[in-house]
Amino acid sequence: MKNKFFEKKFLPIASKIGNQRHLLALRDGIMFAMPLMIIGSFFIIVAWLEAEWYQNFMAKVFGENWNAFGDIVYNGTMGIIALIAVFGVAYSLASSYKVDKKNIDGVPAGVLALAGYLIVNIMSTFTVDEESVSAWSPDLFSAQYLFLGLIVAIITAEIYRFFLQKKLIITLPDTVPPTVSRSFTALIPGFVIITLFLLLRYAFSYTGWETFATFIQEVVTKPFTILGSTYIGTLIASLLEHTLWSFGIHGSSIITSVMEPIWITNADANLAAVKEGKALPHIITYTFYENGIWMGGSGATLPVAIYMMFLAKSKLLKKVGRLAIGPSIFNVNEPIMFGVPIVLNPFLMIPFMLAPIAVLTVTYFGTAMGIFPHTTGTIIPWTTPYFISGYLMTGGKIMGVVMQLVAFAVAFAIWFPFIKMWDKKNLEMENASNNQGVSSSSSQTIQG
């Protein structure tokens, strides 16, 4: 009865949430910046790896300022995350709509979103050689203003698609080249979008916030960041993610589309602190969750893969273990999710939810007490093998590996009794099936 209730009531709602176009656009748009974040992080790890022996060796070989390239690459990769996300989210959201059964070309929406983003942000005044220079602060391009960029992108895409769907555009004959036609198509919605953000800029200059950017930072970014940076906020996100996964819905995709901007912003703040030699302000970052809590994938299932590979007695789990061990090393656990299975399995849903919560608890409070190091803010691929990621995400600290060893032991202790009982149950079913087959075969021989 419970399964029927979830199938009829819960799954349709969860599926709608999973396919919600704005959440998908946030996820896909931020993914535009992911290659730059990973490449930038690689150079930052090379430049700022905190291992003393490494820094001393590199300084002797290449000179005292050998790692100056770290700042240069950072500014050109991770330093422009907000700009890339603005374009990516507006492009992805606009492209998800259709006009005359064809997907909208999202490129103009992305370009207009970039223009709107720069319009709402007021230039700062800097003094260079005793002369005043007006320029946009570099902070506006980084993850610090990511929420502002996402809001501008969504507003732009929605206005742009509205004008296209209502045919409130300049239409040129089919003989006109597409690039020219695209430019004229964007004129009317573009004029409205630019005017709107210009009015927003002037309107907020008469408020206590003074700028639209400050308003978003105070009213949206800070509360969300505080919530997503806490143990409780992350615990809730983990519970929602794994509840959705338990019913076969890609919970990671849904939850990270909401939480990723927060965790990336935290990572950027930690990275800035590393550069300045200050204490790292955040425990919860992008890598803390995606390279720490995702041990072998959602549900901290790496211990399950290892158990099945080396300890399982049933044929089913042995076979799944051989198939799953490779992907699990790189944090891909679909073979386990659907092969064991964990999805729609009330018995295994328990450790699937408990293990990541336990890992989060141990690593969070261990870091808060100073036992484990903070993650430095570098973005490494979520497919980086466990233990290697612990070393890299903490800036080359062995205690980062120790943290993951402790987390692995905790997850294994939670998973072990459940997966052992599930293995025993499968073995009993296989033996019963074999005995039934033997008895059936014997009776046929006697009758013959």
Side-chain angles (χ1 to χ4, degrees):
M1 290 294 292
K2 287 183 179 179
N3 283 344
K4 286 184 178 179
F5 171 80
F6 279 111
E7 286 175 12
K8 289 182 179 179
K9 303 293 183 182
F10 179 80
L11 289 181
I13 296 171
S15 295
K16 285 182 180 179
I17 295 172
N19 294 317
Q20 210 283 325
R21 69 172 76 243
H22 296 88
L23 291 179
L24 292 176
L26 288 174
R27 181 199 67 191
D28 296 342
I30 291 174
M31 286 304 294
F32 274 55
M34 194 57 64
L36 287 181
M37 287 192 283
I38 293 171
I39 293 167
S41 291
F42 171 78
F43 281 94
I44 288 165
I45 289 170
V46 173
W48 298 330
L49 192 69
E50 292 185 45
E52 189 175 347
W53 65 267
Y54 172 79
Q55 291 292 338
N56 291 337
F57 172 78
M58 297 297 281
K60 283 182 181 179
V61 174
F62 300 105
E64 289 298 321
N65 295 321
W66 71 273
N67 55 1
F69 67 86
D71 282 322
I72 298 170
V73 175
Y74 171 84
N75 291 334
T77 54
M78 299 181 74
I80 58 170
I81 288 174
L83 289 182
I84 303 299
V86 167
F87 178 89
V89 171
Y91 170 85
S92 299
L93 181 56
S95 299
S96 71
Y97 289 103
K98 294 180 182 291
V99 172
D100 297 330
K101 298 183 179 180
K102 292 182 180 179
N103 285 88
I104 292 174
D105 180 1
V107 172
V111 173
L112 290 169
L114 282 173
Y117 181 71
L118 294 176
I119 286 170
V120 296
N121 285 298
I122 297 174
M123 286 186 172
S124 302
T125 302
F126 302 92
T127 302
V128 180
D129 296 330
E130 298 183 355
E131 290 187 11
S132 295
V133 177
S134 294
W136 279 293
S137 169
D139 292 340
L140 296 176
F141 307 143
S142 68
Q144 187 175 339
Y145 284 81
L146 187 55
F147 272 96
L148 172 65
L150 300 179
I151 290 169
V152 169
I154 290 172
I155 292 171
T156 301
E158 286 294 344
I159 294 173
Y160 185 76
R161 69 91 186 168
F162 173 82
F163 275 80
L164 265 66
Q165 289 180 335
K166 298 297 182 181
K167 307 290 185 183
L168 301 174
I169 55 174
I170 298 173
T171 305
L172 298 180
D174 293 338
T175 53
V176 176
T179 51
V180 177
S181 180
R182 178 195 293 169
S183 300
F184 279 87
T185 298
L187 282 178
I188 294 176
F191 182 85
V192 173
I193 289 165
I194 298 301
T195 302
L196 170 66
F197 287 120
L198 185 62
L199 291 173
L200 270 177
R201 175 180 174 136
Y202 282 121
F204 274 92
S205 68
Y206 294 100
T207 67
W209 291 291
E210 295 184 352
T211 69
F212 182 58
T214 305
F215 168 75
I216 296 299
Q217 287 293 97
E218 294 292 331
V219 177
V220 180
T221 304
K222 279 188 179 179
F224 267 91
T225 301
I226 291 170
L227 176 64
S229 303
T230 62
Y231 169 76
I232 296 298
T234 311
L235 176 67
I236 293 170
S238 179
L239 280 171
L240 290 173
E241 175 192 351
H242 292 89
T243 299
L244 291 170
W245 259 122
S246 296
F247 294 97
I249 297 165
H250 203 302
S252 306
S253 176
I254 297 169
I255 298 304
T256 55
S257 64
V258 177
M259 303 301 290
E260 238 173 36
I262 300 170
W263 295 336
I264 290 173
T265 302
N266 288 354
D268 191 61
N270 275 16
L271 203 55
V274 170
K275 290 167 61 179
E276 297 171 7
K278 297 180 180 178
L280 277 60
H282 298 292
I283 295 175
I284 307 291
T285 64
Y286 179 89
T287 49
F288 178 90
Y289 193 88
E290 298 204 355
N291 296 97
I293 310 303
W294 287 354
M295 180 196 308
S298 295
T301 55
L302 184 59
V304 179
I306 291 174
Y307 174 91
M308 293 191 299
M309 183 71 182
F310 298 105
L311 301 175
K313 295 179 181 179
S314 65
K315 290 179 181 178
L316 172 65
L317 294 197
K318 282 181 180 179
K319 190 175 291 185
V320 174
R322 287 194 293 269
L323 291 171
I325 191 65
S328 291
I329 290 171
F330 297 96
N331 300 319
V332 177
N333 67 348
E334 273 76 2
I336 292 176
M337 296 297 299
F338 298 99
V340 172
I342 294 172
V343 171
L344 296 176
N345 185 334
F347 181 67
L348 293 182
M349 283 181 190
I350 299 169
F352 183 71
M353 293 184 184
L354 286 181
I357 290 172
V359 170
L360 168 64
T361 303
V362 169
T363 52
Y364 181 89
F365 289 104
T367 304
M369 290 187 289
I371 300 170
F372 305 132
H374 283 65
T375 54
T376 58
T378 50
I379 306 294
I380 57 178
W382 60 268
T383 51
T384 303
Y386 207 64
F387 303 127
I388 294 175
S389 63
Y391 184 78
L392 294 176
M393 71 186 187
T394 55
K397 289 185 172 69
I398 294 299
M399 282 304 293
V401 182
V402 174
M403 176 176 68
Q404 290 192 326
L405 281 168
V406 172
F408 178 86
V410 169
F412 192 91
I414 290 172
W415 268 109
F416 182 75
F418 288 91
I419 196 64
K420 185 178 180 181
M421 289 178 67
W422 187 250
D423 184 32
K424 182 180 178 182
K425 182 179 179 180
N426 277 278
L427 182 63
E428 290 172 353
M429 291 171 62
E430 289 168 2
N431 289 337
S433 178
N434 290 337
N435 291 336
Q436 187 177 0
V438 169
S439 102
S440 175
S441 170
S442 300
S443 81
Q444 287 178 5
T445 303
I446 291 169
Q447 289 177 6

